[in-house]
Amino acid sequence: MNRRIGAALVAAVALLIPAACGSSDSDGASADKQAFSFTDDLGTKIQLDEMPDRLVVQSSMAAALSDLGLGDKIVGVFGPLKGDGDAAQVAGLDIDSVEDVTGGGEYGDVDVEKVAALKPDLVITSQYLAPDLWYVNEASATAIKKLAPILVVDFDGKTLPELLDGTERAATALGADLDSAKVKASHEAFDAAGERVKATAQKLGDRTILAGSGSTDLFYVSNPKVSPDLSYWVDELGLPITIPDNPDEGGYFESLSWEKADKYPADIFLYDDRVGAAGLKQLDNEKVFGTLEAAKNKAYVPWSSVAPPSYQAYADLMNRLADDLNAFV
């Protein structure tokens, strides 16, 4: 973690200490510049002659780094930015101040020419299921690596606090000050919001919550066991979110036909807000889903299943969750 250097220290020591901050892999700095050395969650060791000042970042990760005071270093982003259900993924990011380098092809396509024009020092994304990178397909990753290293924060198998701490570890290496009043306040806000959700969970009694989303043909029941946020809300805060008994490969959800949408009872439906207004409206046309108590009472609560991995973003998200759930207590 970065620390201020007392004026009484000699100049040589003052130059060496910042070079070591944020990483255990420091290779030392010259007298006129600070080197960057960091081993990411995939074990990739990234070494640069100078601290990276031009970052191209996956959109939700970019929002998290902005929360941690690094917004002025972000010159480009890729991944969802606008449209139904996307806004929560980038809450806190000034999308008008960065170049959108998302490609126009299949999932994970990045416009490499736009990336090259931005001359990034570093590209940053995350990983949910190995070996795939979040919003970067293999072809794009191969091309990007010729321009700049890719730093990956791994979320696979992490608890929510571990996920958020992993983002802060990378941010610290990039120069974020975790001792700042803003960052400390975000941790306090996270804890306070968690207590609000816990209190709401106690009021729910024996009512059940089902988390999920839908497509034209299938109803997806999300699995709290592998979703860091849902798992935290169940295990730490006591929300009664149903755990499906037959998850698909990968474990994130159980796919059901709409004819079987009543497999699990639900007093409240926690819907993935990426489906947007159109996806929520679709529920009105599903007759079997309509037999659930949640559907009869329109007890629908939005769930930002992809949010910026920062304590501030999740504090805001949990406060909204507490507010929305309290409407049905």
Side-chain angles (χ1 to χ4, degrees):
M1 191 177 296
N2 291 333
R3 299 181 183 276
R4 295 186 180 276
I5 302 169
L9 295 179
V10 296
V13 175
L15 287 167
L16 288 174
I17 290 177
C21 290
S23 171
S24 60
D25 304 310
S26 177
D27 58 356
S30 67
D32 59 352
K33 61 185 178 181
Q34 180 181 345
F36 176 82
S37 182
F38 183 77
T39 299
D40 74 6
D41 289 342
L42 301 189
T44 302
K45 187 171 184 177
I46 301 169
Q47 292 182 297
L48 301 171
D49 291 339
E50 299 182 44
M51 284 288 289
D53 285 323
R54 298 182 62 80
L55 308 177
V56 171
V57 191
Q58 187 275 328
S59 56
S60 57
M61 179 64 73
L65 294 182
S66 294
D67 285 342
L68 292 166
L70 298 175
D72 59 344
K73 291 190 174 188
I74 300 171
V75 295
V77 296
F78 53 90
L81 286 174
K82 299 178 180 179
D84 282 349
D86 289 341
Q89 299 186 49
V90 293
L93 176 67
D94 182 1
I95 61 176
D96 295 324
S97 68
V98 291
E99 177 79 12
D100 185 0
V101 298
T102 307
E106 62 182 14
Y107 171 83
D109 184 37
V110 177
D111 190 323
V112 178
E113 289 187 3
K114 285 186 177 180
V115 174
L118 292 174
K119 298 180 180 179
D121 301 313
L122 190 64
V123 175
I124 303 172
T125 189
S126 55
Q127 181 179 82
Y128 284 87
L129 285 174
D132 299 325
L133 301 182
W134 196 232
Y135 285 98
V136 185
N137 59 32
E138 185 176 357
S140 294
T142 299
I144 288 171
K145 288 176 182 177
K146 296 177 182 178
L147 302 173
I150 299 179
L151 186 157
V152 179
V153 179
D154 185 22
F155 297 155
D156 190 14
K158 301 291 180 63
T159 66
L160 181 59
E162 287 172 344
L163 181 156
L164 303 179
D165 290 344
T167 301
E168 289 195 346
R169 185 177 83 91
T172 301
L174 293 165
D177 179 10
L178 299 193
D179 286 330
S180 71
K182 180 181 179 181
V183 175
K184 285 185 175 180
S186 71
H187 283 247
E188 294 170 359
F190 177 88
D191 292 338
E195 289 301 317
R196 289 193 64 210
V197 174
K198 183 183 292 187
T200 303
Q202 293 171 351
K203 297 177 188 176
L204 287 171
D206 60 358
R207 277 172 283 188
T208 59
I209 300 174
L210 194 66
S213 61
S215 65
T216 302
D217 300 318
L218 294 172
F219 178 52
Y220 301 102
V221 178
S222 295
N223 182 12
K225 288 290 186 182
V226 296
S227 295
D229 51 355
L230 296 182
S231 177
Y232 187 79
W233 298 342
V234 171
D235 296 339
E236 301 298 328
L237 306 183
L239 279 186
I241 304 175
T242 298
I243 298 172
D245 56 29
N246 189 30
D248 301 349
E249 183 179 359
Y252 275 89
F253 48 78
E254 178 179 352
S255 301
L256 300 171
S257 66
W258 282 107
E259 289 75 19
K260 297 181 178 179
D262 61 349
K263 177 177 179 179
Y264 303 103
D267 295 295
I268 297 172
F269 183 51
L270 196 64
Y271 71 92
D272 188 330
D273 66 4
R274 289 178 296 177
V275 303
L280 189 58
K281 185 175 178 58
Q282 177 193 1
L283 299 178
D284 294 336
N285 300 320
E286 300 298 340
K287 293 182 179 180
V288 176
F289 181 86
T291 65
L292 297 175
E293 288 300 313
K296 292 176 183 178
N297 299 317
K298 292 293 188 288
Y300 300 152
V301 171
W303 163 44
S304 298
S305 62
V306 178
S310 72
Y311 279 93
Q312 185 60 59
Y314 273 92
D316 295 341
L317 191 157
M318 288 193 295
N319 275 317
R320 291 195 302 271
L321 178 63
D323 289 341
D324 291 340
L325 286 175
N326 271 308
F328 302 106
V329 169

